[in-house]
Amino acid sequence: MYAVWLPLLVPLLAVPVARRGAELLPPRTAAWALTALALVLAGSSTAALVLLALDGALRLPFVAALGHFSPHLLGDGSPATVPAAVLAALALAGLGVLVPWRARRHLRELRAAHRQCGHKPGAGDLWVRPDTRPDAYALPGRPGRPGRIVVTTGMLRALSAREREVLFAHERAHLVGRHHLFLAGGELAVALHPALRGLRAPLSYALERWADESAARATGDRALTARAVGRAALAAGAAGPAPRPRLSLTATAGPVPRRVTALLNRSAPVGRVLPRALACLLLACVTLSAAAALEAATDLHNGIETAQGETGHLSPHGG
């Protein structure tokens, strides 16, 4: 059962490497890679908790009776078996409460936002909200409700006509790319393993850069896109944070100066050695985590089968 601890520890190594590696990748590739990495590591760590809790539970007489074997046939285990099982069971119980609570909170926020704009006049996917506070964001869709671009009258007044086109193209890219699903996957991973919290910022940045590049292609003007993003962020920042759903995305989020710089100065070509080395290291982390969880599950399964076989062999009614 030593392998069962690796999925819980691998994220501590993988997160710093992933943060560095994401800087060297195109935004779209970085968003996919970070989300997939977070979900695989979170899934492996959750499986490890289940195996630790199960290993301890199987040593309880009434649980072993259900499996038709005696607890002592599993062996004495290590001194950490029982404490680890208790802690794992408590962690799983906490996850069983935390994950549904966060999911319901996100759904409530989306429903409330859609109720506000669902019956208001709009132009296609655009809803202009009467509000002097400058704000704009992409509101994800939900069953029966398409995604909307929400923009306040204050934000419209803060931008020129061409800058508004950039803003709409940016937010529309979030909707078309379904970027809220990437955020939701990242939030789920963080809930399952807190060490993955370090992937939040690079994932958010990658999604905003993805939308920036989409807006630049749609308008055909990178300088205009950079100027629109900067002015929108300055206007929104001066008014203070605005309430919006946590899974919504906005052009004013993240390190805006860094995004503007990336738009104005195309990144210099990166050598192949470092990205490939980081990619190999991340792949090794993912493989190690998933393989360790599978190895631990196989080990536990084999132990149960052996214990059941020994019980049948010792029973007077056995074969």
Side-chain angles (χ1 to χ4, degrees), residues 219-297:
T219 59
D221 192 333
R222 298 182 69 85
L224 172 64
T225 303
R227 184 169 66 249
V229 168
R231 290 191 64 180
L234 287 174
R244 67 174 70 94
R246 289 174 176 83
L247 290 184
S248 63
L249 296 107
T250 174
T252 62
V256 174
R258 184 178 166 198
R259 289 167 49 201
V260 169
T261 301
L263 283 166
L264 294 177
N265 305 316
R266 290 181 179 272
S267 300
V270 180
R272 296 182 178 181
V273 176
L274 181 58
R276 287 181 177 179
L278 292 175
C280 290
L281 184 54
L282 287 176
L283 182 60
C285 289
V286 170
T287 303
L288 178 62
S289 183
L294 181 60
E295 171 65 22

Side-chain angles (χ1 to χ4, degrees), residues 20-274:
R20 178 69 181 99
E23 299 175 357
L24 306 177
L25 296 174
R28 181 174 181 174
T29 304
W32 276 102
L34 289 171
T35 305
L37 174 71
L39 290 175
V40 171
L41 293 181
S44 299
S45 66
T46 303
L49 291 177
V50 171
L51 292 171
L52 284 170
L54 184 59
D55 185 42
L58 290 173
R59 300 175 190 279
L60 298 175
F62 75 92
V63 176
L66 295 176
H68 305 290
F69 62 87
S70 298
H72 73 273
L73 294 178
L74 289 175
D76 297 332
S78 71
T81 298
V82 174
V86 172
L87 291 176
L90 291 175
L92 290 171
L95 293 178
V97 174
L98 178 63
V99 172
W101 178 79
R102 286 191 176 181
R104 286 194 296 268
R105 182 185 64 182
H106 291 317
L107 290 176
R108 283 196 304 267
E109 291 175 349
L110 291 178
R111 290 194 192 102
H114 276 284
R115 279 196 299 268
Q116 290 179 354
C117 69
H119 303 290
K120 304 291 184 179
D125 59 357
L126 178 65
W127 175 51
V128 179
R129 190 179 72 199
D131 190 344
T132 58
R133 174 182 295 177
D135 191 26
Y137 60 90
L139 177 63
R142 45 185 292 261
R145 297 287 182 89
R148 304 291 293 272
I149 298 172
V150 181
V151 60
T152 64
T153 52
M155 181 62 80
L156 294 179
R157 283 194 293 267
L159 303 178
S160 67
R162 295 190 64 199
E163 289 169 345
R164 294 172 198 163
E165 293 179 9
V166 172
L167 181 67
F168 298 155
H170 177 103
E171 304 301 351
R172 191 168 288 115
H174 283 316
L175 295 178
V176 173
R178 301 181 70 81
H179 293 174
H180 65 283
L181 295 180
F182 292 84
L183 284 184
E187 288 300 307
L188 174 61
V190 170
L192 295 177
H193 198 307
L196 296 172
R197 188 182 303 271
L199 297 182
R200 267 180 176 165
L203 176 58
S204 176
Y205 177 75
L207 292 173
E208 294 303 329
R209 284 284 300 120
W210 182 352
D212 287 342
E213 292 297 327
S214 297
R217 286 193 299 271
T219 59
D221 192 333
R222 298 182 69 85
L224 172 64
T225 303
R227 184 169 66 249
V229 168
R231 290 191 64 180
L234 287 174
R244 67 174 70 94
R246 289 174 176 83
L247 290 184
S248 63
L249 296 107
T250 174
T252 62
V256 174
R258 184 178 166 198
R259 289 167 49 201
V260 169
T261 301
L263 283 166
L264 294 177
N265 305 316
R266 290 181 179 272
S267 300
V270 180
R272 296 182 178 181
V273 176
L274 181 58

